[in-house]
Amino acid sequence: MSKTKSLTHDSIMKALDWSYDKAINGGVPGMDTAIELADSYLQKGGTLDEKVKSLILWQNTKSATSGFLTGLGGLITLPVAVPANITSVILVQMRMVAAIAHMGGYDLKDDQVKSFVYACLAGNAAKDILKNAGVQIGKKLAVTGIKKIPFEVIRKINQAVGFRLLTKFGEKGIVNLGKMVPLAGGIIGGTVDAVATNTIGNVAHKLFFQEQKSRKMAEPKIIDML
């Protein structure tokens, strides 16, 4: 638990940035990128909405299986001052959300999209974080509209997510979050909290696919709160 107390907002943000890079660009043995994960579901039958729900269900089932994170042993040497098990949880959930965003047609290279992916990791607090930053989400977050969000607002969102996760990890502790056991050779094995993963997946689904069938693209409104 001593490592939990050493967590800072800066270290959490570095862990988020590192995880996003690995989720998008790869580099973690045994783990497909978010785009590869998304494409594998896009190729399946059913509606787009059903494909997203299937991906979330798979993440919940697979991540709750002991040993799912065994292949992430290299995270022990990750270049951020955050315990490997916490970063593993962030990476797994980050990849799921990024995959959902990609399935919705969003460009994961855009800083605005990246920020909204981060916001989803806050779970049910995501809506309040966006609202407090001055963003009101309509029934469908427009791909074109999200690109118009100013950098100052994006920075507010990122900072708020960092503080939310710092509080969350501090309250629950490493053991409850990661449920991981160090193995020989520095390999990590364990599970990800399925309940939290399901919540985050549903938040991402609502954010990127709300009222998808209506095809009404309501752009987010920026409130002058800066």
Side-chain angles (χ1 to χ4, degrees):
M1 295 295 292
S2 59
K3 289 185 177 180
T4 304
K5 295 180 181 179
S6 67
L7 291 177
T8 64
H9 182 267
D10 183 61
S11 66
I12 288 292
M13 293 309 300
K14 288 181 179 179
L16 287 172
D17 291 340
W18 183 89
S19 296
Y20 193 82
D21 174 68
K22 294 302 179 184
I24 304 307
N25 300 314
V28 177
M31 176 175 276
D32 292 338
T33 66
I35 294 176
E36 291 170 338
L37 176 63
D39 289 345
S40 69
Y41 278 85
L42 288 173
Q43 294 172 6
K44 296 183 178 181
T47 65
L48 183 57
D49 189 65
E50 290 172 342
K51 294 174 183 178
V52 173
K53 290 180 179 178
S54 178
L55 184 151
I56 296 173
L57 177 62
W58 180 89
Q59 286 288 298
N60 294 337
T61 303
K62 190 70 175 179
S63 64
T65 303
S66 179
F68 174 62
L69 298 177
T70 300
L72 305 185
L75 289 178
I76 280 187
T77 58
L78 56 84
V80 293
V82 175
N85 47 2
I86 287 182
T87 307
S88 297
V89 172
I90 292 175
L91 174 59
V92 170
Q93 295 174 342
M94 180 86 76
R95 185 183 69 140
M96 174 185 65
V97 175
I100 292 172
H102 177 72
M103 292 173 77
Y106 297 88
D107 186 355
L108 298 179
K109 299 295 184 180
D110 287 345
D111 287 337
Q112 292 91 336
V113 174
K114 177 180 177 181
S115 185
F116 274 70
V117 170
Y118 283 16
C120 289
L121 295 185
N124 291 326
K127 184 176 181 179
D128 288 336
I129 287 176
L130 295 174
K131 181 179 179 180
N132 292 336
V135 178
Q136 292 183 339
I137 305 300
K139 290 186 177 181
K140 174 69 173 67
L141 179 64
V143 176
T144 54
I146 196 173
K147 294 182 179 181
K148 297 179 181 179
I149 298 177
F151 174 74
E152 291 81 2
V153 174
I154 293 300
R155 184 174 59 185
K156 275 190 173 184
I157 294 172
N158 291 345
Q159 289 178 341
V161 171
F163 282 119
R164 178 69 185 91
L165 294 183
L166 180 61
T167 299
K168 171 182 165 183
F169 291 144
E171 290 176 347
K172 292 189 176 182
I174 296 175
V175 176
N176 289 336
L177 278 170
K179 299 178 183 176
M180 303 181 186
V181 180
L183 302 178
I187 297 178
I188 299 174
T191 64
V192 176
D193 187 339
V195 174
T197 302
N198 184 66
T199 298
I200 290 171
N202 288 335
V203 168
H205 188 196
K206 291 178 181 178
L207 182 62
F208 294 112
F209 284 87
Q210 190 82 35
E211 300 293 336
Q212 178 75 6
K213 294 181 180 180
S214 69
R215 295 293 182 180
K216 293 181 179 179
M217 310 277 279
E219 295 188 357
K221 299 178 181 179
I222 309 302
I223 304 173
D224 188 11
M225 296 176 60
L226 306 179

